[in-house]
Amino acid sequence: MDLGIVLQCNPPASRLVELTVQAENRGFTHAWTFDSHMLWQEPYVIHSAMLAATRTITVGPMVTNPLTRDWTVTASTFATLNSMYGNRTVCGIGRGDSAVRVLAGKPSTLATLRDSVQVIRELANGRSAMVNGSEVRIPWAGRSRLPVWVAAYGPKALELTGRYADGFILQLADPAIAAWTIERVRNAAADAGRDPADVTICVAAPAYVGTDRDHQRDQCRWFGGMVGNHVADIVAKYGGESDVPRELTAYIEGRTGYDYNEHGRAGNTHTTFVPDEIVERFCVLGTADEHVKRMAELAALGVDQFALYLQHDGIDQTLHAYGDTVIPGIRPVGAAVL
């Protein structure tokens, strides 16, 4: 299983570059960033610096959206990065949360998301696509290779992912919910005549290695609030009695509001409704051995990558522990053959 890191674009940008270099040196394969241009610095500018400072790591947004960025500009941006640094990008995309809601907007429709996935992928891979009724192509992008992964929770979004996306991003690490979503995605892929194995599965959640469990939970409670924004949309659409697991939806009953000025931040005051049990299930906490165990559970479900959100006060110790213990624990190196 591959490992990635997920970073907010808080200044200074040099810190993100530094963490990306550290992650690559410790065996991580991916470095992701938030994409919310009003709350943090511009990710694609930082992606260029991250790629310039590394050799093999793949970078991308977790996640962009089809509303605040023109699809053709997004495609050209990725194709440019690939031309400069050698096909080391991935486009994570969803319906839109903080980047859209901060501007008093609403998440995109699933049809818009579907169309954006197809246009971005075709153009960024040097192929033609229909845009505003015209067939267009980026003529210099023939060597660019860009996979597009979709972030989803609800049944229809999971179906869209299986039918059209190169990868699936689940932003929580609960094995039971992961199993339900992965099955949905794979079934949709098979129904569309695709090989389900062609859809890369990425689980992303805060990971904090340490021994003070109470402190770890408090540092990662913000994540339940972030997920709750999407869960609230699902409950509004499907109701509380749908086949969406109660393990995902029940906890937002105490949710009263959300302030995006504290989005993704440890100590977010609008996430007190998130109980300890949800933090434990959605995130990966505890000792390095406990992290190895959770990684094994996720890998057994078919997860191809686990991406660590590093929005807490234990970033360096967690990176060190993953490099020293967790990654070797999930990727044992065999003896040399003599």
Side-chain angles (χ1 to χ4, degrees):
M1 185 166 63
D2 287 338
L3 276 298
I5 60 171
V6 187
L7 305 169
Q8 279 182 341
C9 295
N10 292 309
S14 58
R15 173 62 170 159
L16 278 73
V17 176
E18 172 189 295
L19 289 170
T20 301
V21 171
Q22 286 186 36
E24 181 179 73
N25 289 339
R26 297 183 190 286
F28 288 81
T29 60
H30 289 70
W32 305 83
T33 67
F34 283 47
D35 177 7
S36 197
H37 60 290
M38 297 299 292
L39 296 177
W40 304 294
Q41 293 183 328
E42 173 58 32
Y44 296 116
V45 176
I46 302 173
H47 289 175
S48 189
M50 292 161 65
L51 288 164
T54 56
R55 299 156 309 202
T56 62
I57 206 162
T58 295
V59 307
M62 189 174 283
V63 294
T64 192
N65 70 84
L67 298 180
T68 59
R69 298 185 184 276
D70 182 274
W71 307 348
T72 63
V73 175
T74 297
S76 181
T77 298
F78 281 109
T80 301
L81 291 172
N82 284 340
S83 176
M84 294 173 67
Y85 303 110
N87 290 331
R88 290 197 284 136
T89 64
V90 56
C91 178
I93 191 168
R95 294 176 58 217
D97 184 27
S98 63
V100 176
R101 297 187 207 257
V102 163
L103 299 173
K106 296 181 180 179
S108 77
T109 65
L110 289 175
T112 296
L113 176 61
R114 177 200 62 211
D115 292 347
S116 73
V117 167
Q118 294 174 301
V119 169
I120 291 169
R121 179 170 53 214
E122 294 307 292
L123 294 180
N125 285 284
R127 299 186 291 266
S128 62
M130 296 299 295
V131 178
N132 297 328
S134 297
E135 185 174 357
V136 297
R137 183 174 66 88
I138 300 175
W140 47 265
R143 295 184 179 180
S144 173
R145 296 295 177 265
L146 176 75
V148 180
W149 298 4
V150 171
Y153 293 103
K156 291 185 178 180
L158 295 169
E159 180 182 356
L160 180 156
T161 302
R163 294 183 66 87
Y164 299 102
D166 300 303
F168 164 48
I169 298 171
L170 174 64
Q171 291 165 301
L172 55 81
D174 178 84
I177 297 173
W180 179 80
T181 58
I182 292 169
E183 181 181 25
R184 287 274 183 156
V185 169
R186 287 176 170 164
N187 288 344
D191 290 344
R194 305 179 66 193
D195 182 349
D198 288 343
V199 183
T200 302
I201 308 296
C202 175
V203 165
Y208 193 139
V209 178
T211 56
D212 187 341
R213 205 68 168 225
D214 289 339
H215 180 73
Q216 291 176 42
R217 283 194 292 261
D218 287 343
Q219 284 286 300
C220 296
R221 199 174 307 277
W222 64 267
F223 186 68
M226 186 185 83
V227 173
N229 298 326
H230 304 285
V231 173
D233 288 341
I234 292 171
V235 172
K237 183 176 182 63
Y238 297 101
E241 302 304 321
S242 70
D243 63 345
V244 178
R246 288 282 292 169
E247 293 92 337
L248 176 60
T249 61
Y251 83 99
I252 70 162
E253 292 173 356
R255 180 177 182 268
T256 58
Y258 192 82
D259 183 356
Y260 277 92
N261 288 307
E262 296 185 285
H263 187 60
R265 300 186 186 277
N268 185 327
T269 58
H270 292 80
T271 59
T272 55
F273 72 92
V274 180
D276 288 350
E277 180 253 343
I278 288 292
V279 183
E280 291 279 353
R281 287 202 289 110
F282 285 14
C283 306
V284 185
L285 310 177
T287 65
D289 288 343
E290 290 176 284
H291 286 245
V292 171
K293 181 179 178 181
R294 181 73 71 89
M295 296 304 108
E297 289 181 87
L298 294 172
L301 296 174
V303 174
D304 299 297
Q305 179 185 154
F306 178 71
L308 294 67
Y309 278 91
L310 292 175
Q311 284 72 55
H312 52 63
D313 63 4
I315 293 174
D316 292 314
Q317 72 193 54
T318 296
L319 275 178
H320 294 172
Y322 265 73
D324 294 343
T325 304
V326 180
I327 292 177
I330 63 175
R331 294 190 207 146
V333 177
V337 178
L338 301 178

